[in-house]
């Protein structure tokens, strides 16, 4: 399976409305040397370019390929989306099924990709005028991870209050709801549970409770209700080590040995107190969560 980025320019075409109104859409294949590369079920990230608004471009949807490239001519409904007469011309296109759209929360802005240790090398950031970009496997895996986790930033801004409102409508039992609310308020129940079994950062000597973070191994947003409350899904860490773990710059093998991302430079390793000899002990439950962390969050 291939992973692609397909780009659309809002100066010529109303990309947002097209994606908003249709689950099944057509996208041009302009880089014709890809004709034989496109396969059914290929993954496609849809990129709306800056157009006339600098700094607004980026990835807003994920789709999959459901037809091989065909020569087609638009019907007149396409006219609504075009600002030019180009819709009248026959063109080579593939049909896509839109799987997920992230309008604001989770939209991956081009500017944030320029700072990303791996994805800053994406071809679309340097050669900005193509329509179709085929991603290397490394870029594909990294972008998938980023997309899967890209609601985190928004989510973390959501207040405890509105989280609790959401809980009222969630389909969970009364007991679960109570537990979730308890653990959500300042993470107190979760943190207390962890403090009962460990009393310092897993990786260094910080013991002051005020500076210990009850970090979820499988992040809150990815976890189900049971996993959110499960003490095995927690790791007590100091703020530095929590930040590295949370952002995927470190993870752990099943035997507890630390894995440090190649993208963490030597200086940062030293200043944030990380080295290859570190390891932690984990029970079976923690190992399971850690497998998830290593696979989906580690930047490699
Ligand atoms: Zn630490």
């Amino acid at each position: 399976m291939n992973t692609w980025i397909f780009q659309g320019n809002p100066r010529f075409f109303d990309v947002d409305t097209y994606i908003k109104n249709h689950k099944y859409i057509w996208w041009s294949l302009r880089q014709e040397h890809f004709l034989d590369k496109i396969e059914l079920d290929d993954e496609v990230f849809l990129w709306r370019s800056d157009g006339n608004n600098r700094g607004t471009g980026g990835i807003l949807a994920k789709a999959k390929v459901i037809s091989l490239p065909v020569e087609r001519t638009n019907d007149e409904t396409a006219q609504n989306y075009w600002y030019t007469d180009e819709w009248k011309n026959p063109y080579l296109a593939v049909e896509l099924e839109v799987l997920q759209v992230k309008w604001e929360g989770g939209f991956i802005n081009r500017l944030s990709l320029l700072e990303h240790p791996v994805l800053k090398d994406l071809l679309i950031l340097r050669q900005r005028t193509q329509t179709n970009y085929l991603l290397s496997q490394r870029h594909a895996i990294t972008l998938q991870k980023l997309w899967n986790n890209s609601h985190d930033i928004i989510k973390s801004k959501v207040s405890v209050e509105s989280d609790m409102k959401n809980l009222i409508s969630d389909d969970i039992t009364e007991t679960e709801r109570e537990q979730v609310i308890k653990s959500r308020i300042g993470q107190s129940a979760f943190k207390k549970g962890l403090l009962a079994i460990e009393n310092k950062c897993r990786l260094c000597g910080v013991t002051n409770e005020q500076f210990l973070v009850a970090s979820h191994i499988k992040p809150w947003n990815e976890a189900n209700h049971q996993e959110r409350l499960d003490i095995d899904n927690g790791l007590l860490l100091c703020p530095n080590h929590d930040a590295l773990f949370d952002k995927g710059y470190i993870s752990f093998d099943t035997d507890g040995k630390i894995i440090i991302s190649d993208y963490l430079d030597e200086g940062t390793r030293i200043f944030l107190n990380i080295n290859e000899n570190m390891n932690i002990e984990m029970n079976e439950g923690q190992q399971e969560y850690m497998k998830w962390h290593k696979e989906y969050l580690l930047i490699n």
Side-chain angles (χ1 to χ4, degrees):
M1 192 191 74
N2 301 306
T3 301
W4 304 84
I5 289 176
F6 285 3
Q7 178 166 231
N9 189 333
R11 263 197 295 166
F12 308 119
F13 183 81
D14 186 352
V15 180
D16 285 19
T17 312
Y18 187 49
I19 293 175
K20 188 184 273 180
N21 288 354
H22 303 274
K23 184 173 172 60
Y24 299 98
I25 60 176
W26 290 90
W27 214 275
S28 336
L29 180 67
R30 286 186 206 265
Q31 276 61 51
E32 294 194 7
H33 56 281
F34 287 143
L35 193 60
D36 299 330
K37 293 259 187 201
I38 291 199
E39 292 168 21
L40 294 179
D41 291 332
D42 277 2
E43 182 174 53
V44 181
F45 289 98
L46 298 175
W47 181 296
R48 190 222 312 113
S49 64
D50 280 11
N52 294 323
N53 299 306
R54 283 193 76 177
T56 58
I59 297 168
L60 79 162
K62 190 175 135 177
K64 73 170 179 183
V65 173
I66 56 169
S67 86
L68 293 174
V70 288
E71 179 95 0
R72 77 186 293 271
T73 310
N74 284 314
D75 58 33
E76 294 213 343
T77 57
Q79 194 176 356
N80 301 330
Y81 301 109
W82 281 95
Y83 305 127
T84 66
D85 275 345
E86 207 179 322
W87 66 275
K88 290 178 181 165
N89 306 326
Y91 65 112
L92 195 61
V94 288
E95 190 174 20
L96 305 174
E97 178 181 349
V98 179
L99 301 174
Q100 197 182 15
V101 189
K102 297 185 178 179
W103 293 112
E104 286 166 14
F107 174 84
I108 300 176
N109 188 283
R110 184 175 67 82
L111 301 175
S112 71
L113 290 174
L114 290 169
E115 316 249 292
H116 192 281
V118 178
L119 298 171
K120 67 174 168 32
D121 297 325
L122 281 172
L123 186 62
I124 194 170
L125 296 172
R126 279 178 287 129
Q127 294 179 17
R128 293 166 63 177
T129 55
Q130 295 179 19
T131 299
N132 320 102
Y133 299 83
L134 178 57
L135 301 192
S136 70
Q137 205 186 1
R138 192 166 65 98
H139 280 161
I141 292 170
T142 310
L143 185 56
Q144 284 153 12
K145 287 182 192 175
L146 186 66
W147 176 260
N148 290 339
N149 291 298
S150 63
H151 50 284
D152 283 4
I153 304 154
I154 300 298
K155 181 71 181 175
S156 65
K157 287 182 190 158
V158 172
S159 67
V160 172
E161 244 170 278
S162 73
D163 248 13
M164 297 214 291
K165 257 183 227 155
N166 290 338
L167 283 173
I168 294 164
S169 58
D170 276 4
D171 182 23
I172 54 173
T173 68
E174 202 55 41
T175 323
E176 278 176 323
R177 180 174 301 135
E178 266 173 36
Q179 284 177 319
V180 172
I181 290 170
K182 270 187 208 157
S183 77
R184 192 62 179 143
I185 297 173
Q187 267 189 316
S188 60
F190 191 66
K191 186 172 174 181
K192 266 183 204 148
L194 274 176
L195 279 167
I197 45 174
E198 22 191 309
N199 54 13
K200 59 176 185 180
C201 169
R202 283 296 195 100
L203 288 174
C204 67
V206 172
T207 53
N208 186 327
E209 280 186 27
Q210 292 180 81
F211 299 111
L212 287 171
V213 183
S215 192
H216 277 92
I217 301 174
K218 185 174 183 180
W220 171 266
N221 295 304
E222 299 293 335
N224 63 33
H225 292 302
Q226 184 263 327
E227 291 169 337
R228 289 175 180 181
L229 300 167
D230 187 357
I231 297 297
D232 280 351
N233 190 21
L235 216 52
L236 210 55
L237 295 168
C238 68
N240 281 348
H241 290 143
D242 172 62
L244 290 168
F245 185 69
D246 190 55
K247 292 183 181 359
Y249 282 97
I250 58 170
S251 188
F252 298 89
D253 266 325
T254 314
D255 63 6
K257 190 171 168 13
I258 194 167
I259 309 165
I260 305 175
S261 167
D262 291 340
Y263 295 95
L264 194 63
D265 62 85
E266 201 52 47
T268 311
R269 291 179 194 214
I270 293 166
F271 290 123
L272 294 185
N273 185 17
I274 278 292
N275 70 69
E276 302 279 353
N277 299 322
M278 290 174 148
N279 62 73
I280 60 171
E281 277 182 26
M282 287 182 287
N283 64 28
E284 270 180 36
Q286 291 170 321
Q287 286 171 9
E288 281 308 307
Y289 288 114
M290 198 58 81
K291 275 184 203 161
W292 192 99
H293 184 275
K294 182 180 153 191
E295 177 163 2
Y296 292 103
L297 282 184
L298 179 67
I299 301 172
N300 54 7

